Amino acid sequence: MGKMITLQPAGGTRVAAYRADPPGTPRGGLVVVQEIFGVNSHIRAVCDGYAADGYLAVAPALFDRFEPGVELGYTSADIAQARSLRNKADTEAALADLAAARDVAAQAGKVGIVGYCWGGYLAWLAAARLPGFACAIAYYGGGMHQATAEAPQVPVLGHFGRKDSMIPVAGIEALAALHPRLAVHFYDADHGFNCDQRASFHAPSAALARERTLAFLHEHVG
């Protein structure tokens, strides 16, 4: 359904992105923010799914600035490589790439942003720092509970697993208490529960989170 395109963020650096177009008139646009594993087959499938639901979905390759073409799986070796790449990534550069993706997605109207894992954290930052988004959705955004000083400018929806040892439930509850624009749902699941390529995939939680995400997008994007 989708295809690779080239984005040119501010500053002149070019990065790749996966673009998936809806079959009919779009409901709006959606920036999809990768995990630490690159724009891999899972993220492309996520984009295709949102496109089937009516959204022009764009997923920028956030590692392209220093290592183009990253596409990892979920083995222990992949996880180690992915963490190394994440440590090399610059947050401001990633936000610039998201802004460039937003500009493409805006061809379809209002734009939301949804991110997974590291991408969930970046979606939280985008909600606070980048104009032009109507809403943001974060799936198990690692580090969000420590980013309490960020002030989202748009409604944010968060999905988290109660069994996720990397993201404490108490930390997310405290974050939500500080930010009334953040609505949080917890699931009887672990980190990465939305990804059907991971051992932690939990189909009931993924289905419920998707239902809530689409309702949120229908409310704020179209």
Side-chain angles (χ1 to χ4, degrees):
M1 182 183 295
K3 63 182 179 181
M4 298 304 295
I5 63 171
T6 300
L7 304 176
Q8 189 160 356
T13 301
R14 294 189 175 191
V15 300
Y18 183 75
R19 171 176 175 156
D21 288 83
T25 302
R27 303 181 67 104
L30 186 63
V31 174
V32 178
V33 196
Q34 64 174 69
E35 304 168 309
I36 60 174
F37 305 97
V39 180
N40 60 8
S41 58
H42 169 59
I43 293 299
R44 295 195 301 272
V46 167
C47 289
D48 291 343
Y50 284 121
D53 288 314
Y55 297 95
L56 167 55
V58 183
L62 300 181
F63 294 149
D64 261 21
R65 288 172 176 264
F66 54 89
E67 188 163 336
V70 172
E71 183 176 342
L72 299 173
Y74 299 93
T75 67
S76 57
D78 289 325
I79 292 169
Q81 184 178 351
R83 287 174 174 167
S84 175
L85 291 167
R86 164 66 183 89
N87 289 337
K88 295 177 183 178
D90 178 80
T91 297
E92 293 304 320
L95 290 172
D97 296 345
L98 296 182
R102 174 205 61 204
D103 293 344
V104 173
Q107 297 169 6
K110 291 183 179 180
V111 182
I113 182 168
V114 58
Y116 302 82
C117 184
W118 177 48
Y121 171 73
L122 291 174
W124 173 248
L125 296 187
R129 302 184 191 182
L130 295 180
F133 288 112
C135 66
I137 303 108
Y139 278 75
Y140 32 86
M144 278 180 61
H145 64 289
Q146 298 170 323
T148 56
E150 301 294 334
Q153 303 300 303
V154 296
V156 182
L157 178 64
H159 302 296
F160 297 91
R162 290 192 177 276
K163 299 177 181 179
D164 190 340
S165 62
M166 294 182 287
I167 306 175
V169 169
I172 296 301
E173 289 176 335
L175 182 68
L178 287 172
H179 297 289
R181 305 197 84 166
L182 171 62
V184 170
H185 294 287
F186 292 101
Y187 302 83
D188 187 27
D190 204 339
H191 190 81
F193 67 80
N194 186 71
C195 178
D196 60 4
Q197 297 183 24
R198 293 193 188 207
S200 58
F201 175 61
H202 190 250
S205 297
L208 180 55
R210 180 174 181 78
E211 179 182 318
R212 288 167 168 165
T213 292
L214 290 175
F216 191 72
L217 289 172
H218 292 170
E219 179 181 359
H220 298 291
V221 176

